[in-house]
Amino acid sequence: MAYIARDMPEEKSILLRMRGRVQGVGFRPVVFRLAHELGLRGWVRNDAAGAEVALAGRGGDIAKFRAELPGRLPAAADIQSVEELSAPAELPAGFEIRTSAAPDGARVAGILPDLATCPDCLREILDPKDRRYRYPFANCTHCGPRFSIIEALPYDRGNTTMHAFRMCPACEEEYRDPRNRRFHAQPNACPVCGPSLSWMRADGTVLEVRDEALRAAAEAIRGGWIAAVKGIGGFHLMVDARDGGAVRRLRERKKRDEKPFALLFPGLDSIRAACEVSAAEQEWLESQAAPIVLLKKREGAALAREVAPGLPWIGAMAPYTPMHHLLMRELGFPVVATSGNLTDEPICTDNDEARARLGGIADFFLAHDRSIARPMDDSVMAVCGGEPVMMRRGRGLSPCSMPMAGAPDGWVAAGAQMKSVVALTAGGNAVMSPHIGDLDHEGAVRLWERAVNDLAGLHGLEPRAAAADLHPGYASTQAAAEWGVPVAGVQHHHAHIAACMAENGLEGPVLGIAWDGTGLGTDGTIWGGEFLVCTRRDFRRAAWLRPFPLIGGDASAREPRRAALGVLREMGSGHPPPGFSRAELAVLDGMLREDFNVVRTSSAGRLFDAAASLLGVCQKMSHEGQAAMRLEALAGEAEAPAYPFGWRGAALDWAPMIEAMLSGGEPPAVAAGRFHATLVEVMGAAAKREGLRDVCLSGGCFQNRRLLAGAWRRLREEGFRVWSHREIPPNDAGICAGQLAVALARA
Ligand code: ZN
Ligand code: ZN
Ligand code: FE
């Protein structure tokens, strides 16, 4: 029978089930084209967990298909695994793209974040001959909204907020043409059939529509007005960043004292004119995530002082939708682009809600009629030694998935209280929600609940087990207790280090240096300057910063002068505490004597506050981390020798440092540098005493780039392997990942 095989080679068929980022990235068109080229029959379709490809043809061609596919995929796509199954009995005569399989079982397809405008789409909206000339909502399979418009999986137009728009014949043709860049681009739209802009007053009166609306917005911003502009994840408040009066007015109306505002620039050239930009920073600015990147401001940059008072950095971002490109080209100068909310409240997404809530802040609204499925703030990050330091993962960087091998589905981590983020296990990954915010505000607690339901709902899962912080006062801990599933309590700093271990694939034991502002310790005191020997399951508190008293409850976390007072009293120093009247001091000292409303803390963050107060940098903070940021800024980049420090048992004693600092008579900038250098030496000393090869750095203090870079350098010099975060924020946003890692290890 050999002659038959030569003439009519035996046909093989196969079904490939692919997992990873295969939806919403132009995956199916690539499969379609490759199958056509190779003359294979069959179909491709999305399913709830990824995509399925049924193939029939010569074995060699199928092998070729499998070998070539990965190299053909667009940058945003990523196949994590391929499962080989037997093909269905009947396959079509050609190759087709089929509608999605009905969802059943856990839906775990990698959900894509929103992608900034690609070069092809940008070229089209700037080309007067193109049918999408000046169209603010152009997108294609390589770019455009994703997570912000997805209401359900699988990722098909009907499951996005674009279902409200019916494609015109021209768009429909692109959508159906496998050679077109918009083949199965779910949010495909054009001026004829897609979303459009309107320019209105807070009372809802529409003043202009479409291109006239965009031009009117530019005109108003140029004139110093405050505009609320609807973007991808919610409304921004925009104002001319060069106009001090306008920026001041925005601060007053938004009730935001000094917290720096992020800026949106027309493009990279204008960012360079105002800031120093390294190669790595440029790469992030131009990435499809398009985050806010913290950059060093240039001397004499044409920006209002009110943008980021007292700080040498600017949070800068580039336009990431066609609308932002068009608006910023019209303007030609940077604008403040801050979340459309009152300070600490969640960002506004809905048009009516935005007019109601922002009516007292914004003079005008630039809105559009494409709904936002879930609110997302802009992402914020910095670059340290070429490596990314994430501070907030929102638009463009959410959802964030991290492999957690063997994890059962449906485990939920509640996160922390500040900078809360929740996480869910699905398909062997920990999927983290966008940044939610501080749960001290009712709006944020509602958003937190919504984020849990959203993650679980999207993946078709019910919470089966939970992990939460030990702090009984955290809103997240309290809510998790009400789910009616077993809750694993995870110590805050163990969670920080476990997140770092999970991100770097470490099982431990490691020495974890967990430095942050606050977290409940197992002894009932407030920890935050911890050296923990950790496995994912357990930890032992090996060393800590010498504890000191904080007087006056919550206020002590907002007033660096109270941290300074605690430090001075702990040392028995005669140095006068800065920033208090004599009467205030008498009251606080009385409280300390009576041990009334006094907590003891080993917090590194509060030690930063104390130093900032003693150096006269900051006595009361308008926002979290302000004192530490000012101290880092004051230290600059100049080298500085460490101060002395010592050990008291297992506690690292900072008292010799504070004493030297107070008696040194050095300029504050030098003292600030020496303070950082001392803390780096403290880390080195603790690591040497413990002698473990792997050292993990986590906690909000490691957003301080001088401290982070110093720790890397010093610990590596001593021969340690140093691990820190790249994907997960070192601050409390990373807690949820660590909670899952610990809970899973214990199970
Ligand atoms: Zn595009
Ligand atoms: Zn159209
Ligand atoms: Fe923390």
Side-chain angles (χ1 to χ4, degrees), residues 13 60 83 87 134 142 168 252 254 285 333 395 397 466 474 493 519 571 602 618 626 677:
S13 59
E83 195 186 342
R134 292 187 68 82
H142 304 139
C168 69
E252 280 158 20
K254 208 183 162 185
L285 287 164
F333 55 79
R395 189 262 314 151
L397 288 170
Y474 282 8
H493 302 94
M571 291 164 65
S602 54
C618 183
Q626 184 182 25

Side-chain angles (χ1 to χ4, degrees), residues 131-132 166-172 174 188-194:
R131 71 187 194 92
R132 288 190 178 82
R166 199 197 158 104
M167 271 186 275
C168 69
C171 285
E172 188 82 45
E174 294 166 336
N188 190 24
C190 78
V192 175
C193 65

Side-chain angles (χ1 to χ4, degrees), residues 14-15 22-23 27-29 31-32 35-36 41-48 50-56 87-102 154-157 175-176 178 183-184 186:
I14 193 172
L15 179 68
V22 294
Q23 294 188 9
F27 177 81
R28 291 178 297 173
V31 167
F32 177 92
H36 262 268
R41 306 190 293 121
W43 46 256
V44 56
R45 68 180 185 191
N46 286 343
D47 67 5
E52 290 180 332
V53 185
L55 293 171
E90 306 244 322
L91 288 175
F95 193 90
E96 37 191 65
I97 292 184
R98 294 207 164 160
T99 52
S100 301
Y155 176 61
D156 274 330
R157 189 174 178 106
Y175 186 85
R176 294 195 182 288
F183 181 58
H184 283 253
Q186 306 305 345

Side-chain angles (χ1 to χ4, degrees), residues 116-122 138-144 181-182 288:
T117 311
C118 76
D120 287 333
C121 285
L122 181 58
N139 65 81
C140 72
T141 46
H142 304 139
C143 74
R181 208 172 83 243
R182 298 197 164 90
Q288 285 209 289

Side-chain angles (χ1 to χ4, degrees), residues 580-618:
F580 291 106
S581 71
R582 202 178 295 176
E584 283 172 323
L585 261 187
V587 171
L588 292 171
D589 276 328
M591 286 163 74
L592 183 60
R593 251 192 326 274
E594 304 291 321
D595 196 23
F596 171 72
N597 212 359
V598 174
V599 294
R600 292 186 65 78
T601 186
S602 54
S603 164
R606 295 292 89 83
L607 192 59
F608 265 93
D609 289 354
S613 164
L614 293 171
L615 293 176
V617 168
C618 183

Side-chain angles (χ1 to χ4, degrees), residues 492-493 496 516 518 699-700 732 735:
H492 187 93
H493 302 94
H496 270 306
D516 64 1
T518 172
D732 282 5
I735 286 286

